[in-house]
Amino acid sequence: MSASNDRAAPHPSLTRRQDKRQPKGSPVSRLLQGVLLSDYFVLYLTLIFFITAAVFYPTLSTPGNIANQLQNMWPLLAVAIGQTFVLILGGIDLSVGATMGITSVVGAIVMAQTLDPAFFDKSPLWGTLMRPEGGILAGSDLAVPIGVAVMLLLGTLIGFLNGYAITRFNLAPFMVTLVSATFFSALALWLTQSRNISGLPEAFFTLGKGDIFSVYIGPKLTPEIARRDILPFITYPFIISAGLAIAAQFLLSRTVFGRRMYSIGTNRRASEVSGVPSRSVITRVYMFSGFCAAVASILYSARLGIGQPSLGGGNLLLDIIGAAVIGGTSLFGGKGSVRGTFFGVAFFVLLLNILNAMRLSPFIIDAVKGAIILLAALTDITRTRLINRELRT
C-alpha cells in the first residue's frame, strides 16, 4: 500500500451529491441501494445489529453495559481518527500500537510517585530516571501536566520520524511503520523489563475514568446510593475524544489541508503537478496519527492506572484499522471521514460486546473480526462502483 496510489476514487462531495440522486430500479431495489450508498449506512447497520442482538442477549441493552461499552469507545476512537487520516492518504500506520506502549511507559516514568526496586532494578534507567522515590517529577504538582505533555510530544515525534522517512527516502509506509512498531515496542519492554509501572498520581486517573455528569437509573432503596450503581454519562474521555473528532472533521472538510489530503490519496502525481506540497502534507498527517495514538495512550493508561509497555499490542491494531474501514475509509486512499470512523468504532465495539456475550473462544472472535473487516472492504468496493456508475449516467 502506498501514498502514491493512482487509482481514481470519488471525492466525498460527489458521494454526498450522489445521496441526493434518485436510484433507478424497483422500489425495493431503490431503497436498498439508497441505504447502501448513504453516509449513515454503518449507523443503520449498527442500530439493526444492536436491536436484533438485544432480543437474544438482554444484558446488552442494560444501562450498565451500554455505559461500559461507551467507555470502551473513546480511546479506540481517538487512535482510529489518526489512522483514518493516514488511510485517506493511501498509506497505513502500523506503529500506532507501539506508540501507545512507549508513550504510556515514558509518561509513567515522568509521573510515578513510587517504584518498587524488586521490579525495576534491572532497568537501564534505574538509579537515574527511575528511583525508589518515583519518577522524574515524583511529588511535584506539575507531574501530571508535564507527563501528559511529554506523552503527546513523544507520539507526535514518532509520527514525524515515520513521515520523514516515508517522504525523504520514498519508502513504503508499510515498511517504515512496521520497523518503527518493532523498535518502539521493544524499547518500551526493555526500559521497564516488561513490567507495568504503577503508583501514578490520582489526578491522572481522572483523564481515563473521571466523569463530569453521572446518572442513577432505578428506585432509591437506600439513603446512600453505591458509587458502582451510578452510571457515568458525560466523562473526561468522552470530552477529549469528541473534541479531537470535531477538530479532525473540521480539518478534513473545511480546510485546504483536508482537500490536499484527499487529492494526494486519490492521485498523488496529479496533486503534485497541481502544486500540492505532498511531502509536507504526508509528514504532518503521520505526526497527527502519532499524536492521536498518544491521546489514546493517555486515556487507556489513566483508565488502567498504570504505564503498560504492552499497551497497544495484541489485536488492537486490527481493531483500529477495522473500525476505520468499516466506517467507510478506503484502504486505497482518497475516501474517508471522521463521522464514518465514529460509526465504525461504534459498530466494532458492539460486535466485540456481542461476541463476548456469546462466550466464543478468542480464536473464533478474531476470525469473525477478520471476516467482518473483509466484508466491509468488499462493501466499500461495491459502494464505489455503484457511485461511479450513477455518476456516468
Side-chain angles (χ1 to χ4, degrees):
M1 197 176 307
S2 169
S4 61
N5 190 288
D6 291 339
R7 188 186 62 83
H11 189 275
S13 62
L14 298 180
T15 305
R16 290 192 292 273
R17 188 190 313 166
Q18 173 59 29
D19 289 339
K20 299 176 181 178
R21 300 182 62 175
Q22 184 67 28
K24 298 178 180 179
S26 66
V28 175
S29 175
R30 290 201 300 270
L31 176 62
L32 293 177
Q33 189 171 332
V35 171
L36 183 62
L37 297 182
S38 171
D39 289 342
Y40 297 93
F41 170 70
V42 179
L43 176 62
Y44 300 148
L45 194 63
T46 303
L47 293 175
I48 294 172
F49 205 28
F50 174 74
I51 294 171
T52 304
V55 173
F56 298 98
Y57 301 97
T59 55
L60 295 175
S61 59
T62 60
N65 181 68
I66 293 175
N68 188 45
Q69 296 312 311
L70 287 175
Q71 294 307 305
N72 292 336
M73 277 186 58
W74 309 131
L76 182 59
L77 174 63
V79 67
I81 289 172
Q83 191 69 248
T84 298
F85 271 49
V86 175
L87 291 175
I88 288 174
L89 284 179
I92 194 167
D93 190 350
L94 301 179
S95 68
V96 288
T99 300
M100 293 170 61
I102 188 66
T103 53
S104 178
V105 165
V106 172
I109 291 175
V110 172
M111 293 182 284
Q113 303 298 299
T114 179
L115 292 169
D116 190 343
F119 288 167
F120 300 107
D121 60 348
K122 300 293 191 300
S123 167
L125 302 179
W126 187 251
T128 55
L129 302 181
M130 301 175 70
R131 298 162 298 172
E133 296 80 15
I136 303 170
L137 296 178
S140 171
D141 294 336
L142 298 177
V144 173
I146 292 180
V148 169
V150 168
M151 295 173 75
L152 294 175
L153 287 174
L154 179 58
T156 306
L157 175 62
I158 293 173
F160 170 76
L161 295 176
N162 287 334
Y164 182 82
I166 291 168
T167 56
R168 179 66 178 81
F169 305 108
N170 201 26
L171 297 173
F174 177 87
M175 180 59 68
V176 172
T177 56
L178 180 61
V179 171
S180 179
T182 304
F183 174 79
F184 286 108
S185 177
L187 179 62
L189 294 172
W190 179 60
L191 291 178
T192 61
Q193 300 296 297
S194 303
R195 301 281 191 178
N196 296 329
I197 300 177
S198 57
L200 304 184
E202 290 285 339
F204 180 63
F205 301 159
T206 304
L207 297 175
K209 48 190 176 185
D211 53 309
I212 300 172
F213 181 72
S214 302
V215 296
Y216 171 74
I217 301 175
K220 186 176 181 181
L221 302 177
T222 58
E224 296 290 335
I225 300 175
R227 184 66 182 87
R228 63 177 180 277
D229 295 329
I230 299 175
L231 304 176
F233 187 69
I234 298 178
T235 62
Y236 285 99
F238 163 71
I239 296 294
I240 294 171
S241 295
L244 181 64
I246 292 171
Q249 182 61 36
F250 179 83
L251 194 64
L252 271 182
S253 60
R254 303 288 183 180
T255 66
V256 174
F257 184 79
R259 289 195 289 274
R260 286 174 171 174
M261 286 176 55
Y262 286 111
S263 173
I264 293 172
T266 302
N267 191 322
R268 181 176 175 180
R269 292 179 185 173
S271 65
E272 289 177 340
V273 171
S274 303
V276 174
S278 60
R279 286 187 175 184
S280 173
V281 173
I282 292 172
T283 302
R284 293 180 187 183
V285 167
Y286 276 92
M287 291 172 66
F288 182 70
S289 178
F291 175 85
C292 290
V295 172
S297 173
I298 292 169
L299 299 182
Y300 275 124
S301 300
R303 185 178 182 185
L304 297 172
I306 55 175
Q308 189 175 41
S310 60
L311 186 67
N315 291 326
L316 183 62
L317 183 62
L318 180 65
D319 297 353
I320 296 167
I321 297 175
V325 172
I326 290 172
T329 303
S330 174
L331 287 169
F332 301 102
K335 193 175 70 171
S337 68
V338 175
R339 177 179 56 190
T341 298
F342 173 77
F343 296 153
V345 169
F347 179 87
F348 216 77
V349 170
L350 174 63
L351 174 67
L352 293 178
N353 192 203
I354 294 173
L355 294 177
N356 287 323
M358 296 172 67
R359 300 184 184 279
L360 299 177
S361 74
F363 307 107
I364 296 179
I365 289 177
D366 289 342
V368 173
K369 287 196 299 186
I372 293 294
I373 294 172
L374 177 61
L375 183 61
L378 294 175
T379 303
D380 175 67
I381 294 174
T382 303
R383 281 163 52 91
T384 302
R385 288 177 177 174
L386 287 172
I387 291 171
N388 289 336
R389 189 178 65 183
E390 289 296 323
L391 289 175
R392 287 195 296 268
T393 59

